[in-house]
Amino acid sequence: VVHRLIWREWHRLNAIVWGRRLFWLQGPGRVERPWKQDPDIAQAWKDGRTGVPYIDACMRELKATGWLAYKGRKTAGAFLVHNLGFDWRIGAFWYEEVLMDYDCAMNYGNWTTIARVDRGYAGNDFTDVGHKDLKAKLRAEYANDPEGKYIRQWVPELQNVSKEFLHWPWLEKKAPEGYASSLVGELDPFECDECGIKRASGGTLDSKAGMWYCETCVAKWKCEQDQKKLLGNLRQKGCRFPGYTEQEKSGDCAECKELGVQGFVDRFDAQFYCSKCWQQAGFARSEKPARPCPAA
């Protein structure tokens, strides 16, 4: 509650400072960017006919009730601006028209923030290239509501779609009857966000960030996390992790503080140790980590 109240005061103070710049297309940040203004697509967004189930559910709830949770307002707004490339004020005008809790400073302040025109941002236009951010948001919503109860409530055309395809119906071989085609194309939600492999089956969903990772990347990270965990345990016992390097180097020892000596760099704590300290710690140059990597 306090967090939201502070945001409200922040937007009201900004509105006082910015004045009419709050309503400029370029925003208070005077951001120059190409904007679209297609009335048919804009109306499809307002009516909840974008072909993206979660966005459509949000927009239909807003139109029917005059209210929408903050997460939905922000996600639907970002979709209009960064995925469709539309004039952000079209969205701000619509929210002003339908929101029961409309407040001028809050509404336009939030929209300038979503559209990234509240300041300069060093020329970054925040276009969602490849719709990567949108896919992350849809996957996060899938993790939050795997049965799709919210979507089924507001998008009756998808009542008979299985939960496997409900959040991305374009993946189903037969398109749902009576439902709009996606305005952003057929996104692949199972493309690994690390290596980019397509349809990365058997991967893992980071439900908090909405990111999807293939088995190979997950195994690699589990290996690194396991090694870091072991390193932490050894350090608590006063030991140094048995990292090793391919060749001997010269530097300043992190253990005995001797300068300009020959030794090795521990590849896990990135510290340089002289040969004497390295041997005293019980680790020779040729040794492997005490615990084998699970992905090796």
Side-chain angles (χ1 to χ4, degrees):
V1 172
V2 171
H3 176 75
R4 291 297 171 211
L5 289 174
I6 291 174
W7 264 105
R8 183 191 67 180
E9 299 310 308
W10 168 254
H11 284 311
R12 289 182 175 180
L13 290 170
N14 279 340
I16 293 171
V17 173
W18 292 337
R20 61 178 182 156
R21 284 184 290 149
L22 182 62
F23 312 101
W24 287 358
L25 173 62
Q26 297 84 1
R30 294 183 168 86
V31 177
E32 294 293 344
R33 195 189 305 165
W35 302 95
K36 297 178 183 176
Q37 292 191 356
D38 185 316
D40 293 333
I41 295 180
Q43 192 60 47
W45 175 78
K46 294 176 184 178
D47 295 338
R49 295 183 289 104
T50 67
V52 181
Y54 179 65
I55 301 297
D56 290 346
C58 289
M59 297 308 295
R60 294 185 190 191
E61 180 187 12
L62 174 61
K63 188 175 183 179
T65 68
W67 187 86
L68 182 62
Y70 177 72
K71 181 183 71 169
R73 300 184 193 194
K74 186 176 180 181
T75 303
F79 177 82
L80 178 72
V81 175
H82 300 300
N83 295 104
L84 298 181
F86 267 62
D87 180 341
W88 65 270
R89 298 174 304 172
I90 293 175
F93 296 160
W94 180 242
Y95 279 19
E96 178 178 355
E97 184 175 336
V98 296
L99 280 173
M100 293 183 67
D101 61 351
Y102 167 75
D103 174 272
C104 179
M106 283 286 289
N107 183 56
Y108 285 90
N110 274 319
W111 271 98
T112 58
T113 302
I114 290 171
R116 297 294 192 266
V117 295
D118 55 325
R119 51 192 176 92
Y121 293 100
N124 189 338
D125 66 2
F126 291 93
T127 301
D128 189 5
V129 179
H131 305 295
K132 187 173 183 179
D133 289 342
L134 175 61
K135 288 190 287 186
K137 291 171 184 174
L138 296 181
R139 287 185 296 231
E141 183 57 29
Y142 169 75
N144 181 57
D145 183 15
E147 298 295 328
K149 294 180 180 179
Y150 178 68
I151 292 175
R152 294 186 196 279
Q153 178 182 357
W154 292 105
V155 189
E157 305 97 300
L158 302 178
Q159 283 289 347
N160 297 323
V161 176
S162 66
K163 63 180 183 180
E164 179 184 0
F165 298 106
L166 185 61
H167 290 79
W168 23 76
W170 50 82
L171 294 183
E172 205 168 23
K173 292 182 179 179
K174 184 179 179 181
E177 187 176 350
Y179 188 59
S181 299
S182 172
L183 293 178
V184 291
E186 298 182 354
L187 307 180
D188 186 354
F190 302 109
E191 177 182 347
C192 180
D193 285 300
E194 176 68 13
C195 65
I197 185 174
K198 301 288 185 180
R199 304 311 303 272
S201 61
T204 297
L205 174 65
D206 181 340
S207 58
K208 186 174 182 180
M211 310 300 276
W212 179 267
Y213 302 109
C214 67
E215 289 180 328
T216 303
C217 291
V218 170
K220 178 184 69 175
W221 292 332
K222 283 184 177 178
C223 167
E224 293 173 352
Q225 290 169 2
D226 190 65
Q227 291 167 341
K228 288 178 181 178
K229 183 179 179 180
L230 177 58
L231 170 61
N233 292 339
L234 288 170
R235 280 179 173 168
Q236 288 177 3
K237 298 176 183 178
C239 302
R240 181 167 57 80
F241 190 80
Y244 60 93
T245 55
E246 294 299 326
Q247 58 183 8
E248 196 173 25
K249 298 183 179 180
S250 61
D252 303 335
C253 182
E255 190 76 23
C256 66
K257 309 303 180 184
E258 189 173 351
L259 306 179
V261 293
Q262 294 296 110
F264 305 93
V265 175
D266 187 314
R267 68 188 178 97
F268 290 98
D269 67 9
Q271 297 288 336
F272 177 85
Y273 300 93
C274 69
S275 299
K276 182 179 180 181
C277 291
W278 188 271
Q279 292 292 338
Q280 286 177 346
F283 308 124
R285 172 183 175 182
S286 60
E287 286 182 328
K288 299 291 184 181
R291 185 177 178 183
C293 167

PDB file of all heavy atoms in Angstrom, residues 42 45-46 59 62 76-77 80-81 86-99 107-108 111:
ATOM      1  N   ALA A  42      -6.165  -0.401 -33.450  1.00  0.00           N
ATOM      2  CA  ALA A  42      -6.388   0.228 -32.144  1.00  0.00           C
ATOM      3  C   ALA A  42      -7.715  -0.229 -31.546  1.00  0.00           C
ATOM      4  O   ALA A  42      -7.804  -0.519 -30.344  1.00  0.00           O
ATOM      5  CB  ALA A  42      -6.367   1.747 -32.283  1.00  0.00           C
ATOM      6  N   TRP A  45      -7.462  -3.745 -30.221  1.00  0.00           N
ATOM      7  CA  TRP A  45      -6.808  -3.754 -28.906  1.00  0.00           C
ATOM      8  C   TRP A  45      -7.807  -3.364 -27.819  1.00  0.00           C
ATOM      9  O   TRP A  45      -7.892  -4.019 -26.777  1.00  0.00           O
ATOM     10  CB  TRP A  45      -5.617  -2.791 -28.925  1.00  0.00           C
ATOM     11  CG  TRP A  45      -4.937  -2.630 -27.599  1.00  0.00           C
ATOM     12  CD1 TRP A  45      -4.057  -3.485 -27.017  1.00  0.00           C
ATOM     13  CD2 TRP A  45      -5.092  -1.526 -26.685  1.00  0.00           C
ATOM     14  NE1 TRP A  45      -3.647  -2.989 -25.798  1.00  0.00           N
ATOM     15  CE2 TRP A  45      -4.259  -1.789 -25.569  1.00  0.00           C
ATOM     16  CE3 TRP A  45      -5.840  -0.350 -26.720  1.00  0.00           C
ATOM     17  CZ2 TRP A  45      -4.173  -0.911 -24.493  1.00  0.00           C
ATOM     18  CZ3 TRP A  45      -5.757   0.520 -25.640  1.00  0.00           C
ATOM     19  CH2 TRP A  45      -4.926   0.236 -24.540  1.00  0.00           C
ATOM     20  N   LYS A  46      -8.602  -2.335 -28.068  1.00  0.00           N
ATOM     21  CA  LYS A  46      -9.590  -1.884 -27.078  1.00  0.00           C
ATOM     22  C   LYS A  46     -10.641  -2.950 -26.806  1.00  0.00           C
ATOM     23  O   LYS A  46     -11.084  -3.125 -25.663  1.00  0.00           O
ATOM     24  CB  LYS A  46     -10.273  -0.610 -27.574  1.00  0.00           C
ATOM     25  CG  LYS A  46      -9.369   0.597 -27.689  1.00  0.00           C
ATOM     26  CD  LYS A  46     -10.129   1.776 -28.273  1.00  0.00           C
ATOM     27  CE  LYS A  46      -9.227   2.980 -28.499  1.00  0.00           C
ATOM     28  NZ  LYS A  46      -9.969   4.128 -29.108  1.00  0.00           N
ATOM     29  N   MET A  59      -8.146  -6.687 -21.610  1.00  0.00           N
ATOM     30  CA  MET A  59      -8.872  -5.596 -22.238  1.00  0.00           C
ATOM     31  C   MET A  59     -10.388  -5.781 -22.140  1.00  0.00           C
ATOM     32  O   MET A  59     -11.142  -4.816 -22.012  1.00  0.00           O
ATOM     33  CB  MET A  59      -8.442  -5.458 -23.695  1.00  0.00           C
ATOM     34  CG  MET A  59      -6.973  -5.095 -23.879  1.00  0.00           C
ATOM     35  SD  MET A  59      -6.468  -3.643 -22.912  1.00  0.00           S
ATOM     36  CE  MET A  59      -7.450  -2.360 -23.676  1.00  0.00           C
ATOM     37  N   LEU A  62     -11.391  -4.886 -18.565  1.00  0.00           N
ATOM     38  CA  LEU A  62     -11.361  -3.429 -18.422  1.00  0.00           C
ATOM     39  C   LEU A  62     -12.600  -2.786 -19.030  1.00  0.00           C
ATOM     40  O   LEU A  62     -13.249  -1.924 -18.416  1.00  0.00           O
ATOM     41  CB  LEU A  62     -10.100  -2.877 -19.092  1.00  0.00           C
ATOM     42  CG  LEU A  62      -9.963  -1.354 -19.157  1.00  0.00           C
ATOM     43  CD1 LEU A  62      -9.931  -0.753 -17.758  1.00  0.00           C
ATOM     44  CD2 LEU A  62      -8.721  -0.963 -19.939  1.00  0.00           C
ATOM     45  N   ALA A  76      -0.859  -4.845 -20.879  1.00  0.00           N
ATOM     46  CA  ALA A  76      -1.632  -4.465 -22.063  1.00  0.00           C
ATOM     47  C   ALA A  76      -1.095  -3.179 -22.674  1.00  0.00           C
ATOM     48  O   ALA A  76      -1.060  -3.017 -23.903  1.00  0.00           O
ATOM     49  CB  ALA A  76      -3.107  -4.302 -21.696  1.00  0.00           C
ATOM     50  N   GLY A  77      -0.643  -2.259 -21.824  1.00  0.00           N
ATOM     51  CA  GLY A  77      -0.080  -1.010 -22.327  1.00  0.00           C
ATOM     52  C   GLY A  77       1.236  -1.228 -23.049  1.00  0.00           C
ATOM     53  O   GLY A  77       1.472  -0.675 -24.127  1.00  0.00           O
ATOM     54  N   LEU A  80       0.623  -2.638 -26.513  1.00  0.00           N
ATOM     55  CA  LEU A  80       0.214  -1.626 -27.490  1.00  0.00           C
ATOM     56  C   LEU A  80       1.405  -0.812 -27.987  1.00  0.00           C
ATOM     57  O   LEU A  80       1.551  -0.569 -29.188  1.00  0.00           O
ATOM     58  CB  LEU A  80      -0.822  -0.689 -26.872  1.00  0.00           C
ATOM     59  CG  LEU A  80      -1.315   0.454 -27.770  1.00  0.00           C
ATOM     60  CD1 LEU A  80      -2.218  -0.077 -28.883  1.00  0.00           C
ATOM     61  CD2 LEU A  80      -2.049   1.515 -26.949  1.00  0.00           C
ATOM     62  N   VAL A  81       2.271  -0.424 -27.063  1.00  0.00           N
ATOM     63  CA  VAL A  81       3.370   0.486 -27.402  1.00  0.00           C
ATOM     64  C   VAL A  81       4.578  -0.243 -27.995  1.00  0.00           C
ATOM     65  O   VAL A  81       5.074   0.124 -29.065  1.00  0.00           O
ATOM     66  CB  VAL A  81       3.805   1.276 -26.148  1.00  0.00           C
ATOM     67  CG1 VAL A  81       5.025   2.137 -26.457  1.00  0.00           C
ATOM     68  CG2 VAL A  81       2.661   2.138 -25.643  1.00  0.00           C
ATOM     69  N   PHE A  86       2.318   1.435 -31.316  1.00  0.00           N
ATOM     70  CA  PHE A  86       1.296   2.480 -31.433  1.00  0.00           C
ATOM     71  C   PHE A  86       1.577   3.688 -30.552  1.00  0.00           C
ATOM     72  O   PHE A  86       2.264   3.605 -29.535  1.00  0.00           O
ATOM     73  CB  PHE A  86      -0.071   1.892 -31.075  1.00  0.00           C
ATOM     74  CG  PHE A  86      -0.831   1.378 -32.272  1.00  0.00           C
ATOM     75  CD1 PHE A  86      -0.325   0.340 -33.034  1.00  0.00           C
ATOM     76  CD2 PHE A  86      -2.033   1.946 -32.653  1.00  0.00           C
ATOM     77  CE1 PHE A  86      -0.999  -0.132 -34.131  1.00  0.00           C
ATOM     78  CE2 PHE A  86      -2.725   1.484 -33.759  1.00  0.00           C
ATOM     79  CZ  PHE A  86      -2.211   0.442 -34.512  1.00  0.00           C
ATOM     80  N   ASP A  87       0.993   4.806 -30.977  1.00  0.00           N
ATOM     81  CA  ASP A  87       1.009   6.048 -30.222  1.00  0.00           C
ATOM     82  C   ASP A  87       0.494   5.745 -28.812  1.00  0.00           C
ATOM     83  O   ASP A  87      -0.640   5.312 -28.636  1.00  0.00           O
ATOM     84  CB  ASP A  87       0.089   7.055 -30.933  1.00  0.00           C
ATOM     85  CG  ASP A  87       0.024   8.407 -30.239  1.00  0.00           C
ATOM     86  OD1 ASP A  87       0.381   8.500 -29.050  1.00  0.00           O
ATOM     87  OD2 ASP A  87      -0.424   9.373 -30.890  1.00  0.00           O
ATOM     88  N   TRP A  88       1.306   5.978 -27.816  1.00  0.00           N
ATOM     89  CA  TRP A  88       0.950   5.621 -26.443  1.00  0.00           C
ATOM     90  C   TRP A  88      -0.278   6.368 -25.947  1.00  0.00           C
ATOM     91  O   TRP A  88      -1.007   5.878 -25.074  1.00  0.00           O
ATOM     92  CB  TRP A  88       2.127   5.876 -25.503  1.00  0.00           C
ATOM     93  CG  TRP A  88       2.518   7.320 -25.357  1.00  0.00           C
ATOM     94  CD1 TRP A  88       3.419   8.009 -26.115  1.00  0.00           C
ATOM     95  CD2 TRP A  88       2.029   8.252 -24.380  1.00  0.00           C
ATOM     96  NE1 TRP A  88       3.523   9.311 -25.686  1.00  0.00           N
ATOM     97  CE2 TRP A  88       2.678   9.485 -24.627  1.00  0.00           C
ATOM     98  CE3 TRP A  88       1.116   8.172 -23.339  1.00  0.00           C
ATOM     99  CZ2 TRP A  88       2.442  10.624 -23.861  1.00  0.00           C
ATOM    100  CZ3 TRP A  88       0.871   9.307 -22.565  1.00  0.00           C
ATOM    101  CH2 TRP A  88       1.527  10.508 -22.826  1.00  0.00           C
ATOM    102  N   ARG A  89      -0.547   7.536 -26.529  1.00  0.00           N
ATOM    103  CA  ARG A  89      -1.682   8.330 -26.062  1.00  0.00           C
ATOM    104  C   ARG A  89      -3.026   7.697 -26.413  1.00  0.00           C
ATOM    105  O   ARG A  89      -4.038   7.961 -25.754  1.00  0.00           O
ATOM    106  CB  ARG A  89      -1.592   9.743 -26.639  1.00  0.00           C
ATOM    107  CG  ARG A  89      -0.348  10.508 -26.185  1.00  0.00           C
ATOM    108  CD  ARG A  89      -0.220  11.826 -26.892  1.00  0.00           C
ATOM    109  NE  ARG A  89      -0.205  11.609 -28.350  1.00  0.00           N
ATOM    110  CZ  ARG A  89      -0.251  12.604 -29.244  1.00  0.00           C
ATOM    111  NH1 ARG A  89      -0.295  13.863 -28.832  1.00  0.00           N
ATOM    112  NH2 ARG A  89      -0.229  12.336 -30.530  1.00  0.00           N
ATOM    113  N   ILE A  90      -3.039   6.834 -27.449  1.00  0.00           N
ATOM    114  CA  ILE A  90      -4.270   6.102 -27.772  1.00  0.00           C
ATOM    115  C   ILE A  90      -4.668   5.246 -26.574  1.00  0.00           C
ATOM    116  O   ILE A  90      -5.849   5.184 -26.195  1.00  0.00           O
ATOM    117  CB  ILE A  90      -4.065   5.229 -29.029  1.00  0.00           C
ATOM    118  CG1 ILE A  90      -3.857   6.123 -30.253  1.00  0.00           C
ATOM    119  CG2 ILE A  90      -5.241   4.285 -29.234  1.00  0.00           C
ATOM    120  CD1 ILE A  90      -3.516   5.357 -31.525  1.00  0.00           C
ATOM    121  N   GLY A  91      -3.681   4.601 -25.981  1.00  0.00           N
ATOM    122  CA  GLY A  91      -3.944   3.796 -24.792  1.00  0.00           C
ATOM    123  C   GLY A  91      -4.327   4.653 -23.604  1.00  0.00           C
ATOM    124  O   GLY A  91      -5.239   4.307 -22.839  1.00  0.00           O
ATOM    125  N   ALA A  92      -3.635   5.779 -23.425  1.00  0.00           N
ATOM    126  CA  ALA A  92      -3.933   6.668 -22.304  1.00  0.00           C
ATOM    127  C   ALA A  92      -5.333   7.253 -22.425  1.00  0.00           C
ATOM    128  O   ALA A  92      -6.065   7.359 -21.431  1.00  0.00           O
ATOM    129  CB  ALA A  92      -2.900   7.796 -22.249  1.00  0.00           C
ATOM    130  N   PHE A  93      -5.739   7.618 -23.646  1.00  0.00           N
ATOM    131  CA  PHE A  93      -7.093   8.141 -23.867  1.00  0.00           C
ATOM    132  C   PHE A  93      -8.140   7.085 -23.514  1.00  0.00           C
ATOM    133  O   PHE A  93      -9.175   7.386 -22.920  1.00  0.00           O
ATOM    134  CB  PHE A  93      -7.275   8.568 -25.327  1.00  0.00           C
ATOM    135  CG  PHE A  93      -6.402   9.716 -25.761  1.00  0.00           C
ATOM    136  CD1 PHE A  93      -6.139   9.943 -27.104  1.00  0.00           C
ATOM    137  CD2 PHE A  93      -5.831  10.573 -24.831  1.00  0.00           C
ATOM    138  CE1 PHE A  93      -5.341  10.988 -27.519  1.00  0.00           C
ATOM    139  CE2 PHE A  93      -5.026  11.624 -25.234  1.00  0.00           C
ATOM    140  CZ  PHE A  93      -4.777  11.836 -26.585  1.00  0.00           C
ATOM    141  N   TRP A  94      -7.867   5.822 -23.915  1.00  0.00           N
ATOM    142  CA  TRP A  94      -8.821   4.746 -23.663  1.00  0.00           C
ATOM    143  C   TRP A  94      -8.957   4.454 -22.169  1.00  0.00           C
ATOM    144  O   TRP A  94     -10.060   4.299 -21.647  1.00  0.00           O
ATOM    145  CB  TRP A  94      -8.406   3.488 -24.412  1.00  0.00           C
ATOM    146  CG  TRP A  94      -9.338   2.326 -24.216  1.00  0.00           C
ATOM    147  CD1 TRP A  94      -9.049   1.127 -23.652  1.00  0.00           C
ATOM    148  CD2 TRP A  94     -10.720   2.257 -24.588  1.00  0.00           C
ATOM    149  NE1 TRP A  94     -10.150   0.299 -23.646  1.00  0.00           N
ATOM    150  CE2 TRP A  94     -11.198   0.980 -24.225  1.00  0.00           C
ATOM    151  CE3 TRP A  94     -11.604   3.160 -25.204  1.00  0.00           C
ATOM    152  CZ2 TRP A  94     -12.512   0.577 -24.433  1.00  0.00           C
ATOM    153  CZ3 TRP A  94     -12.925   2.750 -25.418  1.00  0.00           C
ATOM    154  CH2 TRP A  94     -13.364   1.477 -25.035  1.00  0.00           C
ATOM    155  N   TYR A  95      -7.838   4.399 -21.479  1.00  0.00           N
ATOM    156  CA  TYR A  95      -7.890   4.176 -20.032  1.00  0.00           C
ATOM    157  C   TYR A  95      -8.637   5.323 -19.349  1.00  0.00           C
ATOM    158  O   TYR A  95      -9.402   5.103 -18.400  1.00  0.00           O
ATOM    159  CB  TYR A  95      -6.473   4.067 -19.463  1.00  0.00           C
ATOM    160  CG  TYR A  95      -5.823   2.710 -19.637  1.00  0.00           C
ATOM    161  CD1 TYR A  95      -6.288   1.794 -20.583  1.00  0.00           C
ATOM    162  CD2 TYR A  95      -4.723   2.334 -18.866  1.00  0.00           C
ATOM    163  CE1 TYR A  95      -5.680   0.554 -20.746  1.00  0.00           C
ATOM    164  CE2 TYR A  95      -4.110   1.096 -19.016  1.00  0.00           C
ATOM    165  CZ  TYR A  95      -4.588   0.210 -19.964  1.00  0.00           C
ATOM    166  OH  TYR A  95      -3.980  -1.016 -20.128  1.00  0.00           O
ATOM    167  N   GLU A  96      -8.425   6.536 -19.817  1.00  0.00           N
ATOM    168  CA  GLU A  96      -9.129   7.682 -19.252  1.00  0.00           C
ATOM    169  C   GLU A  96     -10.635   7.540 -19.437  1.00  0.00           C
ATOM    170  O   GLU A  96     -11.421   7.897 -18.560  1.00  0.00           O
ATOM    171  CB  GLU A  96      -8.643   8.977 -19.923  1.00  0.00           C
ATOM    172  CG  GLU A  96      -9.358  10.226 -19.437  1.00  0.00           C
ATOM    173  CD  GLU A  96      -8.838  11.498 -20.076  1.00  0.00           C
ATOM    174  OE1 GLU A  96      -7.843  11.428 -20.835  1.00  0.00           O
ATOM    175  OE2 GLU A  96      -9.423  12.564 -19.821  1.00  0.00           O
ATOM    176  N   GLU A  97     -11.019   6.977 -20.563  1.00  0.00           N
ATOM    177  CA  GLU A  97     -12.450   6.852 -20.876  1.00  0.00           C
ATOM    178  C   GLU A  97     -13.140   5.761 -20.066  1.00  0.00           C
ATOM    179  O   GLU A  97     -14.299   5.921 -19.668  1.00  0.00           O
ATOM    180  CB  GLU A  97     -12.620   6.558 -22.373  1.00  0.00           C
ATOM    181  CG  GLU A  97     -14.058   6.497 -22.840  1.00  0.00           C
ATOM    182  CD  GLU A  97     -14.181   6.329 -24.346  1.00  0.00           C
ATOM    183  OE1 GLU A  97     -13.235   6.706 -25.067  1.00  0.00           O
ATOM    184  OE2 GLU A  97     -15.221   5.825 -24.786  1.00  0.00           O
ATOM    185  N   VAL A  98     -12.448   4.657 -19.799  1.00  0.00           N
ATOM    186  CA  VAL A  98     -13.135   3.502 -19.201  1.00  0.00           C
ATOM    187  C   VAL A  98     -12.809   3.234 -17.731  1.00  0.00           C
ATOM    188  O   VAL A  98     -13.585   2.563 -17.050  1.00  0.00           O
ATOM    189  CB  VAL A  98     -12.849   2.225 -20.025  1.00  0.00           C
ATOM    190  CG1 VAL A  98     -13.411   2.360 -21.420  1.00  0.00           C
ATOM    191  CG2 VAL A  98     -11.359   1.905 -20.062  1.00  0.00           C
ATOM    192  N   LEU A  99     -11.684   3.712 -17.228  1.00  0.00           N
ATOM    193  CA  LEU A  99     -11.317   3.396 -15.841  1.00  0.00           C
ATOM    194  C   LEU A  99     -12.214   4.108 -14.829  1.00  0.00           C
ATOM    195  O   LEU A  99     -12.384   5.324 -14.881  1.00  0.00           O
ATOM    196  CB  LEU A  99      -9.862   3.793 -15.580  1.00  0.00           C
ATOM    197  CG  LEU A  99      -8.775   2.829 -16.056  1.00  0.00           C
ATOM    198  CD1 LEU A  99      -7.397   3.451 -15.873  1.00  0.00           C
ATOM    199  CD2 LEU A  99      -8.863   1.491 -15.332  1.00  0.00           C
ATOM    200  N   ASN A 107      -2.715   8.184 -14.459  1.00  0.00           N
ATOM    201  CA  ASN A 107      -2.914   7.559 -15.764  1.00  0.00           C
ATOM    202  C   ASN A 107      -1.829   7.962 -16.753  1.00  0.00           C
ATOM    203  O   ASN A 107      -1.122   7.109 -17.310  1.00  0.00           O
ATOM    204  CB  ASN A 107      -4.286   7.941 -16.316  1.00  0.00           C
ATOM    205  CG  ASN A 107      -4.578   7.269 -17.648  1.00  0.00           C
ATOM    206  OD1 ASN A 107      -4.529   6.049 -17.781  1.00  0.00           O
ATOM    207  ND2 ASN A 107      -4.874   8.077 -18.667  1.00  0.00           N
ATOM    208  N   TYR A 108      -1.659   9.251 -16.961  1.00  0.00           N
ATOM    209  CA  TYR A 108      -0.674   9.699 -17.952  1.00  0.00           C
ATOM    210  C   TYR A 108       0.757   9.504 -17.459  1.00  0.00           C
ATOM    211  O   TYR A 108       1.670   9.245 -18.250  1.00  0.00           O
ATOM    212  CB  TYR A 108      -0.935  11.161 -18.332  1.00  0.00           C
ATOM    213  CG  TYR A 108      -2.133  11.292 -19.231  1.00  0.00           C
ATOM    214  CD1 TYR A 108      -3.407  11.485 -18.700  1.00  0.00           C
ATOM    215  CD2 TYR A 108      -2.008  11.174 -20.613  1.00  0.00           C
ATOM    216  CE1 TYR A 108      -4.529  11.569 -19.527  1.00  0.00           C
ATOM    217  CE2 TYR A 108      -3.115  11.259 -21.444  1.00  0.00           C
ATOM    218  CZ  TYR A 108      -4.367  11.447 -20.892  1.00  0.00           C
ATOM    219  OH  TYR A 108      -5.470  11.516 -21.710  1.00  0.00           O
ATOM    220  N   TRP A 111       1.501   5.876 -18.148  1.00  0.00           N
ATOM    221  CA  TRP A 111       1.653   5.630 -19.581  1.00  0.00           C
ATOM    222  C   TRP A 111       2.983   6.174 -20.107  1.00  0.00           C
ATOM    223  O   TRP A 111       3.622   5.538 -20.950  1.00  0.00           O
ATOM    224  CB  TRP A 111       0.486   6.216 -20.360  1.00  0.00           C
ATOM    225  CG  TRP A 111      -0.644   5.239 -20.504  1.00  0.00           C
ATOM    226  CD1 TRP A 111      -1.771   5.157 -19.751  1.00  0.00           C
ATOM    227  CD2 TRP A 111      -0.718   4.177 -21.463  1.00  0.00           C
ATOM    228  NE1 TRP A 111      -2.552   4.109 -20.173  1.00  0.00           N
ATOM    229  CE2 TRP A 111      -1.938   3.481 -21.218  1.00  0.00           C
ATOM    230  CE3 TRP A 111       0.096   3.726 -22.488  1.00  0.00           C
ATOM    231  CZ2 TRP A 111      -2.340   2.389 -21.977  1.00  0.00           C
ATOM    232  CZ3 TRP A 111      -0.304   2.639 -23.237  1.00  0.00           C
ATOM    233  CH2 TRP A 111      -1.497   1.972 -22.993  1.00  0.00           C
TER     234      TRP A 111
END
